Amino acid sequence: MQKYKNLGLAIVIIVIGYNVYDYFKVKKDVQKDVIEECSKKFRTSNPEIAKKVADKYCECVFDNLGEKYKNSNVGAKTILEKEQSIMQDCFDKVKQ
């Protein structure tokens, strides 16, 4: 009986471990897609900006504002008005 308990525990640990791994993998892929889309839009409105700079800018903005507005219904215009200083700081860091 002890053998089956240990086997069951091992299976539960493996399943939980895989689910945790899969969660973070999917989260990273979604973040990457969001950053790529942001970068594309940023370069469309600012054609003189290089892709590498736009990617770093979007990553900075996502890291600083992503969690804050993750489940928010606040519109983009309101976020831009409220968080202009953070976004400018990200842009200044990237341009250096």
Side-chain angles (χ1 to χ4, degrees):
M1 193 63 169
Q2 184 66 23
K3 180 179 173 182
Y4 293 116
K5 285 182 183 179
N6 289 340
L7 182 61
L9 181 61
I11 291 171
V12 168
I13 290 172
I14 289 170
V15 169
I16 291 172
Y18 178 76
N19 286 331
V20 169
Y21 164 77
D22 193 46
Y23 167 78
F24 285 109
K25 183 178 181 294
V26 168
K27 186 176 177 181
K28 182 179 178 184
D29 290 346
V30 167
Q31 180 179 356
K32 183 179 174 188
D33 292 343
V34 168
I35 289 172
E36 286 178 9
E37 183 67 26
C38 168
S39 176
K40 183 178 171 183
K41 288 179 181 180
F42 187 69
R43 285 182 285 125
T44 301
S45 61
N46 300 292
E48 72 280 0
I49 302 294
K51 181 180 182 338
K52 185 176 179 180
V53 172
D55 288 348
K56 287 189 179 214
Y57 168 77
C58 289
E59 188 175 327
C60 177
V61 170
F62 185 81
D63 288 344
N64 287 307
L65 300 177
E67 287 298 317
K68 185 175 182 180
Y69 293 102
K70 181 170 67 173
N71 295 321
S72 174
N73 292 330
V74 178
K77 188 174 182 179
T78 306
I79 294 171
L80 287 172
E81 290 170 0
K82 286 183 174 181
E83 307 295 351
Q84 189 68 39
S85 64
I86 291 174
M87 295 170 74
Q88 186 62 45
D89 287 344
C90 286
F91 190 70
D92 292 342
K93 285 179 190 176
V94 170
K95 285 187 83 173
Q96 293 176 357

